[in-house]
Amino acid sequence: MKIGFIGTGIMGRPMAGHLQAAGHELVLHRHRSDPPAELVDGGATVGTSYAEIAAAVEVIILMLPDTPDVEAALFGANGLATGDLSGKLVIDMSSIDPIATQRFAERVAKQGGGYVDAPVSGGEVGAKNAALTIMIGGTVEDVARAQPLFEAMGKNITHVGDVGAGQITKVANQIIVALNIEAVAEGLLFASKAGADPAKVRAALMGGFASSRILEVHGERMIARTFNPGFRIDLHRKDLSLALSSARSLGLSLPNTATAQELFNSCAAHGDGNKDHSAMVTALERLANHDVA
Amino acid sequence: MKIGFIGTGIMGRPMAGHLQAAGHELVLHRHRSDPPAELVDGGATVGTSYAEIAAAVEVIILMLPDTPDVEAALFGANGLATGDLSGKLVIDMSSIDPIATQRFAERVAKQGGGYVDAPVSGGEVGAKNAALTIMIGGTVEDVARAQPLFEAMGKNITHVGDVGAGQITKVANQIIVALNIEAVAEGLLFASKAGADPAKVRAALMGGFASSRILEVHGERMIARTFNPGFRIDLHRKDLSLALSSARSLGLSLPNTATAQELFNSCAAHGDGNKDHSAMVTALERLANHDVA
């Protein structure tokens, strides 16, 4: 398939590489810097404008940082929508606003294009190993068209529902991940302050109802004090900000998400926005004047 | 081994049964009702007083509801400590206050007895299947003496540290379990209110960083609306009450544990204290005027 791939950063670069390795033809975009050399060496071409890329490809994949970036790439003055989107499929794999996503899909549909939202989790490691979890919203037909591309990039691939459902699922994921980190932080901090060895407590809890991927991975980081990312607090703050603003417009109360965001804000205030999100524990440690380990 | 087993309720009864099946000799206590017939049929004797039981056995196992019950059985007017505890080993498998536990152990030590705290998780099913998680505090010698008994009742057996460390671990477990339930409730409620199918969202999240035993088991209960216990909200309220009062005396701030307790309190206010703790989601649903499913 001929694919326009917009956003070849830390995540997009290995994802595009897997598509190329699977035999797809890539057209890249020159944004702030040249596209990755290994993709060009592998046969990717570089379009001179978004309109040219839109004209040349069947599928456009976006892997960009935030909602305004996706909006600009699609609908900006020189965006993809200035080209011909008729019969094209736009696959947005960025993590952005679910409600904005539905608007973007409607605008693309007016030009005769299909739209699938397919945010991922699994981070850089998942992207490199083609082992991403992919959460998908879109029509059955559009998702079927994208399916071989997803299979080249991910492992746990779920079509959740209509357009926007992928982004909704990603927000739910980020809520649960943040709150599970907070849960492990409160549990280990309690244990440590009460006089037990947090490493042994973690080991004892791993087999039972408290077990989680976060207890396993992030619990260990809290004890070992290895707060190099991983997934940065500033990115998780962006996601919780989206969760809390969406909750407000939907009419929802998310009390513990709000507290978790305040703990991340405390980390940012202490200059730790670039640390791994497991460093949320340090905000609770400041409150308690006691460190887990 | 000759074992005094105090507390043959929902949990204690199958636990005592496994000890009997492993060849140990049980001495039971007649509290409010006769001891379970199958244990007596299996050869257990019934002591007429705590003092007589203490005199007759090598090991005393307690499996009682709360701190005051353990205190009364040990140090009440006719408690076990009125008998000869010299050389005996007290194993408290109840879930009680870690700080009170250390006091109890000191008092038993003054009479020449050993003390191990070994609370469990895994519930009635774990007790029946001899698959309990057992979290242990005590000296290496005392724990070694108790080890064959633990192996007859549990699977994931961890010696965490000195006396009290088992109870500390159990409190940490209950904090994390409650907060993971709250996390799944916020995530699924967000997804549902935003228009996605919560069952598909749960399925999509199961492979990634949001995965947990609670997402698997309690997430399913929230979607299927099966709130029969399981583990009752009133019991979890008791545990979080212990967590929050211990946190206050230790000088710790546990913000999300406090919120989770308030959500459990709301459930109790609505007459749902007897429901499974996954019904915490109903308190968030009331706040949002929207149900997950």
Side-chain angles (χ1 to χ4, degrees), chain B residues 118-234:
Chain B
V120 304
S121 81
E124 192 181 349
V125 172
K128 283 186 174 162
N129 297 335
L132 292 167
T133 292
I134 309 180
M135 302 154 251
I136 306 162
T139 65
V140 171
E141 295 73 24
D142 286 342
V143 173
R145 208 169 147 193
Q147 187 68 21
L149 309 182
F150 294 145
E151 284 169 7
M153 297 181 281
K155 283 237 167 78
N156 191 10
I157 300 162
T158 311
H159 183 192
V160 178
D162 295 337
V163 163
Q167 300 294 353
I168 290 168
T169 305
K170 179 68 193 283
V171 174
N173 183 75
Q174 296 304 81
I175 289 172
I176 294 174
V177 167
L179 296 188
N180 282 4
I181 289 174
E182 212 280 343
V184 168
E186 289 200 18
L188 293 183
L189 191 61
F190 177 90
S192 168
K193 180 83 180 180
D197 176 349
K200 287 192 178 156
V201 170
R202 175 181 161 279
L205 300 186
M206 279 296 295
F209 273 106
S211 69
S212 66
R213 193 75 191 283
I214 296 298
L215 178 65
E216 186 188 342
V217 176
H218 298 71
E220 188 165 45
R221 288 178 193 164
M222 291 177 202
I223 293 164
R225 317 306 282 178
T226 51
F227 294 138
N228 47 323
F231 188 76
R232 290 191 295 117
I233 282 173
D234 280 340

Side-chain angles (χ1 to χ4, degrees), chain A residues 54-279:
Chain A
V57 303
E58 301 159 71
V59 168
I60 296 157
I61 295 181
L62 303 165
M63 190 62 187
L64 295 167
D66 205 348
T67 311
D69 306 294
V70 173
E71 183 157 32
L74 283 171
F75 308 112
N78 301 304
L80 291 151
T82 60
D84 181 12
L85 292 182
S86 175
K88 317 283 168 159
L89 180 64
V90 174
I91 306 173
D92 180 23
M93 305 191 73
S94 324
S95 290
I96 69 161
D97 188 339
I99 297 161
T101 291
Q102 291 164 342
R103 281 194 286 111
F104 297 167
E106 282 164 23
R107 291 179 69 176
V108 169
K110 278 191 188 139
Q111 296 190 34
Y115 196 102
V116 168
D117 54 305
V120 304
S121 80
E124 191 181 350
V125 172
K128 284 186 173 163
N129 297 334
L132 291 167
T133 292
I134 309 181
M135 303 155 251
I136 306 162
T139 65
V140 170
E141 296 72 24
D142 286 343
V143 174
R145 210 169 147 193
Q147 187 68 20
L149 308 183
F150 294 146
E151 283 169 7
M153 295 181 282
K155 283 236 167 79
N156 191 10
I157 300 162
T158 310
H159 182 192
V160 178
D162 296 337
V163 163
Q167 298 295 352
I168 291 168
T169 305
K170 179 68 193 282
V171 174
N173 183 75
Q174 296 303 81
I175 289 172
I176 294 174
V177 167
L179 295 189
N180 281 5
I181 289 173
E182 212 280 343
V184 168
E186 289 200 17
L188 293 183
L189 191 61
F190 178 90
S192 168
K193 180 81 180 180
D197 176 348
K200 287 194 178 155
V201 170
R202 174 182 162 279
L205 299 186
M206 280 295 296
F209 273 105
S211 68
S212 67
R213 193 76 191 283
I214 296 298
L215 179 65
E216 187 189 340
V217 176
H218 299 70
E220 188 165 46
R221 288 179 193 163
M222 292 177 202
I223 293 164
R225 317 306 282 179
T226 50
F227 295 138
N228 47 323
F231 188 77
R232 288 192 295 117
I233 282 173
D234 280 340
L235 281 172
H236 214 148
R237 285 172 84 205
K238 183 207 91 174
D239 294 335
L240 293 194
S241 174
L242 187 55
L244 292 168
S245 65
S246 300
R248 192 166 52 239
S249 43
L250 290 165
L252 270 181
S253 170
L254 300 178
N256 282 3
T257 301
T259 301
Q261 180 74 319
E262 292 309 323
L263 295 171
F264 278 147
N265 287 343
S266 168
C267 293
H270 284 260
D272 292 339
N274 272 315
K275 290 193 178 167
D276 184 67
H277 51 175
S278 57

